[in-house]
Amino acid sequence: MEPPSKRLKSDDTADSSRGVSEQGARDVIKDDDRAKEGDTDSITNAAEIGKVNLKSTVEQKLNGNKQNSDGNKQNVESDKQNLDTNKHTLDNNAIGETMTEVCAEDEPGGIDEDDSLAAMPAIEIDVGITEYISTHEGFHGILKHRYSDFIVNEIDQDGSVVHLTDVSKPYFEEEHVKEPAIDTDNVISAEDTERIQTLVDNNDTTSIVSLRVPNDKETRTKIHHTIKRMWPDLSSSTIDENGVKVIKVTSKKHAGRSNFKEWPRNRGKYLWFVMYKENKDTMQAINTLGKVMRIKPGTFGYAGTKDKRAKTSQWISIFKGDANRFYGINARLQLMKLGNFRYCQEPLKLGDLNGNHFSIVLRNVTGTDKQIDEAMTSVKEVGFINYFGMQRFGTSSIPTHRIGRSLLLSNWKEAVELLLMPRSMQNVSHEGSVLTDLQKCWTETRDARKSLEVIGKRHFSGPEKFLLQGLTKESDNAYLDAFYNIPKNMRLIYIHSYQSYVWNSMVSRRIREYGFRPVVGDLVLKNRVAVNSEDEPCTTPAVIGPDEVNQYSIYDIVMPLPGYEVIFPQNNIESWYKEFLAEDSLEVQHFNHKVKTFALRGNYRNIIIRPKNVSWATCSYVDDKEQLILGDLERIMGQTLKDTTEDGRFKALKIELTLPSATYATMAIREILKSDTSAGHQTTLSKNKQAQSTN
């Protein structure tokens, strides 16, 4: 039986021209809008194309689209052939800021000794991304030629776009709890009070003040109470010295206890701040904060993860965080900045956002103004297929969905070996070189301690480090326990990636088989809320019956992320899922894993997404390094863009759009360009662009 990656390549030759035309899709949208306004005639036709003789009209449009899209399909097929060639020739040693990390994809199955040589960067068809919704002609453009060409701003639950706007030192008026005055003369003498106060004034954390006290326990209790009230940074304890009761008073630091500071009454218990980062993923940035602040990374709250190769801004929360301490570490942070400090009563949790706003630059664009307008109008009015983007499937050293498959099969050793396997196309950044050395040492020695020693003083916080640290511990199930040493949010990436791989592949097949129209047995959510998370409880979808098909449009259809609680479409699609899983030696029951951290209930995700707040503009530029959009930090620093010139050698397309959470802007760009968005392909385009610039 062919492995999934090969199967996808052969499936890709299937006819993908069954979708509606752009005008037809717009008709669907208009009918759908009228249905919402109460037009009963349009309710019947909301999911169909045209106004009369619907079935024949649909067939005519589909046949017309098939002829009109032949040229596009040939271009796509040619592009895929070129990508297959690139897959064997790519050199991932990108230059400077254009360096893009890629995911190495292997065949499912056992580990071969030559796998490290055979591993190649994954392209879109390897992870199930094969179809398009629109019929416009694609054009050339480079995505993320520089990471500063991709800016992401979180949208909070109030609908506000999150920006870093204030990096000044925070100041908060504090309303301290007023304590009743305590008459210490009755329990602590003036002389002892002065000695204790001197201990505090001198910030003396080593000395001890001894108080001789009576044998009366009630009096001693009052003394302890008074010390706690008057000097909260001190600790007191009663001891017996030769039959005499003595209270020892010392700094809490000396006593090995945390230096507690009373929390102001009017202050929220959670510090919130905007974290701005460049060229770091969210977990890498949070791990950095944890290391600098000596706080466990798991104590930070955040609503969602943001792209690595980008400039991003998002809210972060921490319980009883000191705003001034976090402000103070800004000078020590690289490619990060913290600001907009405030206190709130509640923490941030995953999912506490309304989406993300993207500002994107595509460089070296070849499309005419007409082609660009057609493509952008299509994405604005029709939308794009809601695929999980290439970022979902890891970096050059981690074929994440393959590791996820091994975890679901409880092949712990195989999962460990996959994660620590060297890659022939390893990233040559500082972090990548550390990882290369680490993996090489593990391959040669199988010694976790020696492999960790390779890191030395170099900064590296990847999952491989946590995995090796877990392998140094003796246990009956060392490989599984080693995975438990990886932080949970990192650990879950692998099985969620496998879910995404299955979802992408099933959606592509559904589009090839049924096109962009509802069919009997499809699933819809009655409240029409887009669901994008992998494993959160959600409303059970309804199954479309024969009499209900005309009541819905493609924008209502959801497909399940596989899990043990989901229902599948009540048509051929259910068998497709089972067949696909079987080729990976899996069944739906495997998602109800005996190791609960790897058990997935599943969820549902909309097939098609229409972005909001879409706008675009073109400009000319001369220098590849010329900055064409500003991030939050540049705006704070007062930087401005150079005046664009009409005589520039190159053309750029600037795009603004807002998307729901867990939706990939790169998939919208893919629909615009009709081009592969994989890191390897984009790196090749960037290199070709640089070579062109030097000629």
Side-chain angles (χ1 to χ4, degrees), residues 422-436:
R423 289 289 179 264
S424 59
M425 306 187 73
Q426 193 66 271
N427 203 311
V428 295
S429 67
H430 167 73
E431 184 169 301
S433 63
V434 176
L435 182 55
T436 301

Side-chain angles (χ1 to χ4, degrees), residues 218-229:
E218 183 178 349
T219 302
R220 294 199 305 272
T221 300
K222 289 182 179 180
I223 293 174
H224 286 300
H225 178 75
T226 300
I227 292 171
K228 182 178 180 180
R229 291 287 190 179

Side-chain angles (χ1 to χ4, degrees), residues 94-251:
I95 301 173
E97 195 182 13
T98 65
M99 180 180 63
T100 305
E101 295 191 350
V102 294
C103 173
E105 175 65 33
D106 300 308
E107 303 289 351
I111 309 294
D112 292 331
E113 292 298 325
D114 294 334
D115 269 359
S116 62
L117 299 177
M120 294 294 171
I123 57 176
E124 289 181 348
I125 58 176
D126 294 324
V127 294
I129 302 172
T130 62
E131 308 304 310
Y132 295 96
I133 188 173
S134 59
T135 59
H136 69 265
E137 182 181 354
F139 51 88
H140 175 90
I142 302 177
L143 173 64
K144 294 189 180 182
H145 179 68
R146 310 176 77 226
Y147 71 75
S148 54
D149 289 342
F150 203 88
I151 296 175
V152 187
N153 293 90
E154 187 171 85
I155 300 175
D156 64 23
Q157 289 188 305
D158 294 330
S160 301
V161 180
V162 177
H163 286 281
L164 181 72
T165 59
D166 184 4
V167 292
S168 61
K169 185 175 182 179
Y171 172 76
F172 300 95
E173 292 186 1
E174 299 181 356
E175 178 188 341
H176 290 284
V177 179
K178 294 182 179 180
E179 301 292 350
I182 299 177
D183 185 3
T184 61
D185 290 342
N186 293 333
V187 291
I188 304 176
S189 68
E191 180 182 353
D192 287 341
T193 299
E194 184 177 351
R195 292 167 58 206
I196 296 173
Q197 190 60 46
T198 300
L199 187 70
V200 174
D201 294 342
N202 293 338
N203 197 25
D204 189 342
T205 61
T206 59
S207 299
I208 298 175
V209 173
S210 298
L211 309 179
R212 290 203 171 201
V213 293
N215 290 329
D216 179 13
K217 184 175 181 180
E218 183 178 349
T219 302
R220 294 199 305 272
T221 300
K222 289 182 179 180
I223 293 174
H224 286 300
H225 178 75
T226 300
I227 292 171
K228 182 178 180 180
R229 291 287 190 179
M230 294 290 292
W231 301 284
D233 290 338
L234 299 183
S235 173
S236 62
S237 60
T238 302
I239 64 172
D240 192 310
E241 290 185 350
N242 300 321
V244 178
K245 297 294 184 181
V246 176
I247 290 180
K248 299 285 188 180
V249 182
T250 185
S251 167

Side-chain angles (χ1 to χ4, degrees), residues 233-359:
D233 290 338
L234 299 183
S235 173
S236 62
S237 60
T238 302
I239 64 172
D240 192 310
E241 290 185 350
N242 300 321
V244 178
K245 297 294 184 181
V246 176
I247 290 180
K248 299 285 188 180
V249 182
T250 185
S251 167
K252 286 184 178 179
K253 290 183 179 179
H254 177 82
R257 296 167 60 181
S258 61
N259 188 16
F260 172 78
K261 182 178 180 180
E262 192 169 10
W263 200 250
R265 174 181 290 174
N266 65 330
R267 178 182 293 181
K269 292 184 178 181
Y270 292 88
L271 173 68
W272 285 37
F273 56 87
V274 173
M275 180 177 73
Y276 169 89
K277 63 180 182 63
E278 297 182 10
N279 206 26
K280 298 175 183 285
D281 62 41
T282 300
M283 289 315 305
Q284 183 182 0
I286 286 178
N287 286 337
T288 298
L289 292 182
K291 182 177 181 180
V292 174
M293 296 294 292
R294 297 185 179 182
I295 297 173
K296 291 183 178 180
T299 60
F300 289 96
Y302 55 93
T305 57
K306 307 295 179 238
D307 299 73
K308 176 178 180 178
R309 281 188 50 77
K311 295 179 177 179
T312 74
S313 297
Q314 65 184 115
W315 284 113
I316 303 292
S317 71
I318 183 73
F319 180 68
K320 289 190 175 180
D322 187 327
N324 283 300
R325 284 192 65 208
F326 278 90
Y327 165 80
I329 68 171
N330 269 328
R332 301 168 58 187
L333 299 176
Q334 295 182 347
L335 299 178
M336 294 175 62
K337 187 70 72 174
L338 312 181
N340 295 78
F341 297 96
R342 71 183 191 188
Y343 284 98
C344 301
Q345 291 296 342
E346 300 295 332
L348 269 171
K349 301 184 295 296
L350 281 173
D352 286 350
L353 74 167
N354 278 333
N356 296 284
H357 185 78
F358 296 86
S359 303

Side-chain angles (χ1 to χ4, degrees), residues 398-405 407-408 419 463-464 483 486 489-499 598:
I398 309 175
T400 53
H401 66 280
R402 184 178 171 187
I403 296 174
R405 170 184 175 271
L407 293 173
L408 288 170
L419 187 49
E464 296 85 356
F483 260 94
I486 300 175
N489 44 23
M490 285 188 180
R491 195 164 67 231
L492 293 178
I493 286 173
Y494 306 110
I495 51 175
H496 287 163
S497 176
Y498 186 80
Q499 278 184 309
F598 298 131

Side-chain angles (χ1 to χ4, degrees), residues 427-481:
N427 203 311
V428 295
S429 67
H430 167 73
E431 184 169 301
S433 63
V434 176
L435 182 55
T436 301
D437 294 343
L438 180 151
Q439 291 173 328
K440 183 172 183 281
C441 182
W442 169 259
T443 301
E444 294 174 352
T445 67
R446 289 298 190 275
D447 189 318
R449 286 187 173 83
K450 284 186 178 180
S451 300
L452 286 169
E453 290 172 1
V454 168
I455 300 175
K457 294 183 178 180
R458 294 179 291 181
H459 177 70
F460 178 72
S461 57
E464 296 85 356
K465 177 181 177 180
F466 296 108
L467 187 69
L468 286 168
Q469 288 172 339
L471 288 172
T472 63
K473 303 171 184 177
E474 298 291 337
S475 69
D476 294 334
N477 200 345
Y479 293 110
L480 173 58
D481 292 343

